[in-house]
Amino acid sequence: MLRLARSVASQRALSKALAQRRGVATVSSSAGSKEQDGRSLEAMTSAAVALTGEFPAWLRTEMRTNHAGEFGAVEIYTGALYAAAARSRMNLETDGGRMRLFAEHHMATEQAHLDIMLKLVPASNRTRLLPIWRAAALSLGFFPALAGPRCLYWTVASVETFVEEHYQAQIMRLREEKVLPEMTVLLERLCAEEVEHKNEAVEALFGSRDAPEALSPGVVARAWGSIVGVGSVAAVEASKLV
């Protein structure tokens, strides 16, 4: 959660920097939406898929973790929607369905990301731990959402803070090695959309993406953020090995 606080403070600058570096504006996810260079997400994906045979060993390993992460993200929101339905049946829904809509919107984006990873990562290079990640991710979405919208929003903000750092590390290495620019552009687009999810979670929590409260979360929120962060790191490392 401390990483979230630091990230919120510089988020707008980061988003603008990403856009400037790829020469386009950051936009929200949509299957047919286009960047200012005229290319759709599908076109970016096709260009990257054509380069899969040129991926260095380190990137193949990272793509393995990216697939696992996007798979887990879909399951997180699946769990959240199960919880939203349960809260509705128990007459506990107090936000007019806002949490459900939040989860549906984010799940659609994550499913699009997963579809991309399915094209980029062959079955032979996918982690064998997916059944475990499914159970873990479903739980990570279900129980916080069952506890209430704010718990889910903090969870999403924490998860996306990690995801942003994970994608950024890959983007920076590709740029440093000056290889696969088409892959760099695609990862920047996916990262920007994950950042947007984090921003939306912060806005849902505080009513503003720049709320000062996001910089000083309480003890419980910090502890939960640390747990989510450590769990995310462990899942990535395990996915690299198995």
Side-chain angles (χ1 to χ4, degrees):
M1 193 58 62
L2 292 176
R3 290 183 301 179
L4 171 61
R6 291 196 299 269
S7 180
V8 168
S10 62
Q11 194 49 62
R12 287 190 173 180
L14 173 63
S15 297
K16 290 180 181 178
L18 284 175
Q20 291 171 353
R21 281 160 54 185
R22 67 177 181 264
V24 295
T26 299
V27 299
S28 297
S29 174
S30 173
S33 63
K34 296 184 177 182
E35 302 282 358
Q36 287 184 356
D37 67 0
R39 290 196 300 171
S40 67
L41 185 56
E42 290 88 343
M44 291 181 184
T45 301
S46 296
V49 168
L51 300 172
T52 53
E54 302 176 27
F55 285 4
W58 72 264
L59 184 57
R60 289 196 298 272
T61 298
E62 293 296 344
M63 292 304 295
R64 179 187 179 97
T65 68
N66 292 346
H67 168 265
E70 299 297 353
F71 174 88
V74 171
E75 297 301 322
I76 286 174
Y77 290 113
T78 299
L81 288 173
Y82 286 154
R87 285 176 60 87
S88 179
R89 288 194 298 270
M90 293 184 289
N91 294 319
L92 295 176
E93 187 177 81
T94 58
D95 64 349
R98 183 183 180 193
M99 181 180 74
R100 175 179 54 78
L101 294 174
F102 175 93
E104 289 175 345
H105 166 64
H106 285 205
M107 185 176 179
T109 304
E110 301 298 354
Q111 183 61 60
H113 289 187
L114 178 57
D115 291 343
I116 290 170
M117 292 303 162
L118 290 172
K119 295 176 181 178
L120 291 169
V121 183
S124 60
N125 191 37
R126 297 171 194 166
T127 177
R128 296 191 296 276
L129 298 176
L130 292 181
I132 296 176
W133 299 156
R134 171 178 280 119
L138 278 170
S139 298
L140 187 58
F142 179 82
F143 290 108
L146 189 65
R150 292 186 63 82
C151 293
L152 177 65
Y153 300 147
W154 271 121
T155 299
V156 170
S158 299
V159 169
E160 296 295 13
T161 296
F162 171 81
V163 173
E164 177 190 1
E165 294 173 356
H166 185 63
Y167 272 132
Q168 279 295 327
Q170 297 169 41
I171 292 165
M172 292 301 296
R173 184 164 180 179
L174 285 169
R175 289 196 170 278
E176 288 169 359
E177 296 184 3
K178 299 180 180 179
V179 297
L180 304 174
E182 296 289 354
M183 192 63 204
T184 304
V185 169
L186 177 61
L187 289 179
E188 285 185 333
R189 170 68 178 268
L190 299 182
C191 183
E193 292 181 347
E194 302 291 357
V195 168
E196 182 67 12
H197 283 186
K198 179 177 67 176
N199 287 340
E200 289 173 351
V202 171
E203 186 172 10
L205 280 165
F206 303 112
S208 169
R209 300 184 178 199
D210 301 316
E213 296 91 336
L215 301 177
S216 56
V219 174
V220 174
R222 289 200 303 271
W224 180 238
S226 296
I227 291 170
V228 171
V230 170
S232 298
V233 171
V236 164
E237 294 306 314
S239 294
K240 290 180 180 180
L241 298 174
V242 183

